[in-house]
Amino acid sequence: MSIRATTKRALNARAFVSTTRQSIVMTSVRPQSTLNTGEIIKDPQIGDYPNLPRNSTQARGPYGWWDPQDKRNFGETLHEEDEIMGVWAPDLHNYSPYKAVAQLALFAGAIAAVAGFVYKTYPESPAVKRTYPYNGLIEEFGAREGDIRPRGARVRKEEAEEMK
């Protein structure tokens, strides 16, 4: 299909949409990314090319094809919209959006449960955290009055409470 024909088809589709906007809005719910309806759409621009039903090749079985990667036989006529109806098109989904959300929620819940279990059962560190004398070596690190960022190191809890 040439670029001119594609452009002309797109412009005709826009003109059609603008004249029949309300009916399209009411019936434009598509639960799948690729339609697999089997209907035959009459297209006056198709010419003498065979007008094939809208069946995605993703719905075909995996075995028994001359070309198993594209699931087609030798000499089989390609659909006019093979880029939409082919194996490499966006996937066909048989799940409702509610089932997809439920599966995502189940996955998130499982991850949260594992994270919570690890958080509750993670052992305390056997080593004592290092502390520094002289108020966390503030003077040794060159701290000045009014510094925005503290320059000291860790201080023991007793010394921190004394400073407050």
Side-chain angles (χ1 to χ4, degrees), residues 28-38 54-56 58-59 84-85 90-97:
S28 65
V29 177
R30 272 181 51 185
Q32 299 176 358
S33 60
T34 305
L35 292 176
N36 190 30
T37 59
R54 294 179 61 87
N55 291 326
S56 176
Q58 292 179 13
I84 297 173
M85 298 295 164
D91 290 336
L92 288 175
H93 298 286
N94 298 325
Y95 296 124
S96 71

Side-chain angles (χ1 to χ4, degrees), residues 77-141:
T77 306
L78 291 179
H79 195 280
E80 178 194 12
E81 297 174 338
D82 184 56
E83 68 277 358
I84 297 173
M85 298 295 164
V87 175
W88 305 108
D91 290 336
L92 288 175
H93 298 286
N94 298 325
Y95 296 124
S96 71
Y98 302 111
K99 187 168 185 176
V101 168
Q103 288 177 352
L104 285 172
L106 179 68
F107 175 72
I111 295 295
V114 168
F117 177 75
V118 168
Y119 179 77
K120 291 290 185 184
T121 60
Y122 198 74
E124 188 177 329
S125 176
V128 177
K129 292 192 184 259
R130 181 183 296 199
T131 58
Y132 297 94
Y134 305 113
N135 199 13
L137 301 175
I138 290 178
E139 291 180 23
E140 286 74 11
F141 281 137

Side-chain angles (χ1 to χ4, degrees), residues 140-152:
E140 286 74 11
F141 281 137
R144 294 182 300 262
E145 192 69 32
D147 277 346
I148 295 173
R149 192 177 64 170
R151 296 182 186 261

Side-chain angles (χ1 to χ4, degrees), residues 28-51:
S28 65
V29 177
R30 272 181 51 185
Q32 299 176 358
S33 60
T34 305
L35 292 176
N36 190 30
T37 59
E39 66 180 327
I40 298 176
I41 299 174
K42 293 184 180 182
D43 187 1
Q45 296 179 349
I46 200 169
D48 60 349
Y49 196 79
N51 199 0

